[in-house]
Amino acid sequence: MTKSRIEARFAALKAQDRAAFVAYVMAGDPDRATALKILQGLPAAGADLIELGFPFSDPMAEGPPIQKAAQRALKDGMTLKGVLDLAAEFRQGDDTTPLIMMGYLNPLVTWGFEAFAQAAAKAGIDGLIIVDCPPEEADPLADALDAADISLIRLATPTTDDKRLPVVLRRTSGFVYYVSVTGVTGAKEADAEAVRPAVARIRAASGLPVAVGFGIRTPERAGAIAQVADAAVVGSALVDEVADALAMNEDVTERVLSKVRALAEAVRRARTSLPA
Amino acid sequence: MNAPTPPATPNDFAAYPDAQGRFGQFGGRYVAETLMPLVLDLEAAYLATREDAEFQAEMADLLTHYVGRPSPLYFAERLTEHFGGAKIYFKREDLNHTGAHKINNCIGQILLARKMGKTRIIAETGAGQHGVATATVCARFGLPCVVYMGAVDVERQKPNVFRMNLLGAEVTPVTSGASTLKDAMNEALRDWVTNVEDTYYLIGSAAGPHPYPMMVRDFQAIMGREIREQILEAEGRLPDAVVACVGGGSNAIGTFHPFLNDEQVRIIGVEAAGDGMGTDRHAAAINGGRPGVLHGNKTYLLQDAEGQITEAHSISAGLDYPGIGPEHSWLHDVGRAQYLTATDIEALDAFKLCAELEGIIPALESSHAIARLPDIARKVGKGGIVVMNLSGRGDKDVATVADHLGRTI
């Protein structure tokens, strides 16, 4: 049941000949109430899918923006169960926007994969991206998620060569996340022309939509990526809005959602037909 | 809470890890996908060096003439008398070039990095000993070196920071988290994932993703092999116990590994208990943590009920790490090794005792192992033999110790 939200959303976008805009927000950043308001406002602001970060103390693949977002969320007391509660509350008002949780393995190890997967399915989670769980280590988690009908979204990167690609794509479902730059989140900028052949290669090998992230901060860049990929993901630039709004004592929700509107608009305008 | 679960006793304790980098349930390769091809390449390159006679000869030559191996096995006569039990021997890694065991591993890895055509070296460091050893081999081979070091450690290990600078390394203070070794390792991993083409990550501990725990152990196992030969020559038999301090655990695993299949040799690691195991300010992953995943491997970790990693606390920067190498976690679970603890105060007392009775100023790290020697020597008893790895010298620690004694220097 839950898997179909991702498939349905990409099918609908394909029918409209446009790429998805994926917004990443950190659950509980800067506090639970604000994070819920942001989450609830994302679909109307133009987010086609939502990546809901869950905080970890040692996020090894994140640049400073998401590191700080995780610290704000942890400081406010966010827990893994709290993230699922947020998701469940969001689901009460939205049963169609796919919710993908993104984070690190250890909190899931602590909960136990099976119990977590069942709880996540109940909360309306559609997919999971676990940064420090490569395919070689993923089977126990994938088994638990399969049983709960949740997609384990796989990551392909510029270092994924043809030999490795089948390993990465084994047991994948939903979509494939292409990490467009070597580096941490929010540090380098993705080059749409360099991304184009990689996306085509992964799409052909997987038969799945390909989302591109890790190097998109501006509407211009999001629009360029939307011309070559099935989805453009923005994370660091959105959590930076949280930090900036806090620093300038502005309305956090409005800052984030207005950035989302600008990015989503650029993605919607980007093209009229999917590239072959 | 961490009573060893009794898995089947393996026939060959020294035969691990398996092809997936596992020691039982521990170890593995929990890294970002960007790094997976790199750790697979590294594993292949490392395994090739095991068969490469030229590589082995170059390493042996450097270990002899540059590091000063073999390090002596020294009979600590006055400490033996003082404790009144088994004979105490020290493996004198403090006499190595750069003052600790860390250089053994750095020699192996710098040769591997060169063989792989890497042109830039990064490392993490806690006390600064691994940073100094890495900076040293980088200077020796003319490679640029960036050392990530927690800002707190930069402050408490100033002489080592200056040494690294003298050796031409760039020391980057890390201010995320608690600004100690764990955070330095996060930052080094972030550098590696960013600079995948040219950069070699020279990990100093027997931790991290496979193949590091195996490779670092193998490079450090020269200590255990020498101990075997030296004690056979001195005493005509193997020791009753081998003892080492454990942070990440590279000096310990290098000491233990050649003895794993000698059932009569007790294997004892000593974790840092900081303010005490009854407090939450310690660095004892096995005695005070539970299994989890961090820095590329599954192992015992200090963490809260939610699986968030908690900060370690120890007077010794080199032991101030919330995890431990995965092989130690496994040796604990299968019951082959025993992990004790020593507090800051016990380590300080041992530090002074060793200086006064043996004329050796030990590293604060090694002092944790010395602190448990009285109990171990008594338990093994007169006529017995205990070998402790004196993993480093304490020159770097004199300011810290003076501070704790309320003295200014």
Side-chain angles (χ1 to χ4, degrees), chain B residues 239-275:
Chain B
D240 299 291
V242 288
V243 184
C245 65
V246 191
S250 72
N251 98 79
I253 203 68
T255 304
F256 298 167
H257 195 257
F259 294 100
L260 289 182
N261 285 330
D262 300 302
E263 276 174 42
Q264 73 275 30
V265 181
R266 285 181 59 193
I267 291 177
I268 302 168
V270 183
E271 295 190 298
D275 289 352

Side-chain angles (χ1 to χ4, degrees), chain B residues 30-257:
Chain B
Y30 295 91
V31 293
E33 179 55 33
T34 305
L35 291 179
M36 270 308 294
L38 282 75
V39 298
L40 292 170
D41 278 356
L42 178 63
E43 182 188 356
Y46 168 64
L47 291 176
T49 65
R50 284 176 163 182
E51 319 295 325
D52 182 340
E54 204 178 310
F55 182 95
Q56 295 298 333
E58 191 177 4
M59 185 164 73
D61 183 70
L62 283 162
L63 288 172
T64 303
H65 299 106
Y66 191 65
V67 176
R69 303 210 70 86
S71 66
L73 186 70
Y74 164 74
F75 173 45
E77 196 175 349
R78 294 194 67 206
L79 275 176
T80 298
E81 251 171 57
H82 184 77
F83 297 147
K87 286 175 90 169
I88 306 289
Y89 281 86
F90 284 161
K91 178 62 171 165
R92 297 292 306 274
E93 293 298 305
D94 59 316
L95 296 178
N96 291 341
H97 180 40
T98 73
H101 73 290
K102 292 290 185 186
I103 189 85
N104 303 328
N105 165 53
C106 288
I107 293 285
Q109 288 202 54
I110 199 78
L111 293 178
L112 181 58
R114 293 181 75 211
K115 206 173 168 63
M116 293 178 76
K118 302 293 182 182
T119 54
R120 174 176 177 267
I121 306 294
I122 58 172
E124 83 294 334
T125 198
Q129 291 305 96
H130 173 58
V132 167
T134 305
T136 297
V137 297
C138 287
R140 169 65 183 77
F141 288 101
L143 290 168
C145 175
V146 176
V147 178
Y148 290 94
M149 187 168 185
V152 168
D153 292 337
V154 168
E155 201 45 48
R156 61 179 165 178
Q157 301 287 344
K158 277 182 190 157
N160 269 347
V161 174
F162 187 60
R163 286 165 81 193
M164 288 185 267
N165 289 333
L166 283 175
L167 292 159
E170 181 189 323
V171 179
T172 305
V174 176
T175 53
S176 60
S179 308
T180 58
L181 179 55
K182 157 177 97 86
D183 311 291
M185 198 150 179
N186 287 333
E187 216 52 41
L189 283 163
R190 290 178 186 127
D191 181 310
W192 200 23
V193 84
T194 305
N195 300 292
V196 294
E197 292 298 328
D198 62 346
T199 296
Y200 183 95
Y201 181 15
L202 207 162
I203 294 184
S205 216
H210 180 64
Y212 285 102
M214 167 181 76
M215 176 168 72
V216 174
R217 174 201 71 196
D218 291 351
F219 288 141
Q220 292 293 5
I222 189 165
M223 300 184 295
R225 289 196 302 271
E226 286 176 5
I227 292 170
R228 262 189 104 85
E229 273 180 35
Q230 291 166 324
I231 199 73
L232 285 174
E233 198 182 310
E235 296 281 351
R237 68 172 180 94
L238 294 180
D240 299 291
V242 288
V243 184
C245 65
V246 191
S250 72
N251 98 79
I253 203 68
T255 304
F256 298 167
H257 195 257

Side-chain angles (χ1 to χ4, degrees), chain A residues 55-60 62 67 74 79-80 106 110 131-132 134-137 155 157 159 164 168 182-183 188, chain B residues 22 28-34 36-37 40 182 186 189-190 193-194 290 292-294 303 305-309:
Chain A
F56 182 49
S57 52
D58 294 82
M60 297 169 310
E62 313 298 346
Q67 289 175 39
L74 287 173
T79 62
L80 194 53
N106 201 48
T110 299
V131 179
D132 57 350
E136 281 80 354
E137 306 292 353
L155 300 149
T157 78
T159 60
R164 180 145 179 91
V168 170
T182 56
K188 294 180 184 170
Chain B
R22 294 264 168 196
R29 285 178 283 230
Y30 295 91
V31 293
E33 179 55 33
T34 305
M36 270 308 294
L40 292 170
K182 157 177 97 86
N186 287 333
L189 283 163
R190 290 178 186 127
V193 84
T194 305
R290 63 169 199 278
V293 173
L294 179 72
Q303 52 185 319
E306 283 288 317
Q308 305 295 341
I309 308 305

Side-chain angles (χ1 to χ4, degrees), chain A residues 7 10 83 93 103 108 121 180 182 189 193 239 242 244:
Chain A
E7 284 157 23
F10 275 108
V83 177
L108 307 185
S180 60
T182 56
E189 275 202 304
E193 282 319 301
V239 304
V242 175
D244 290 352

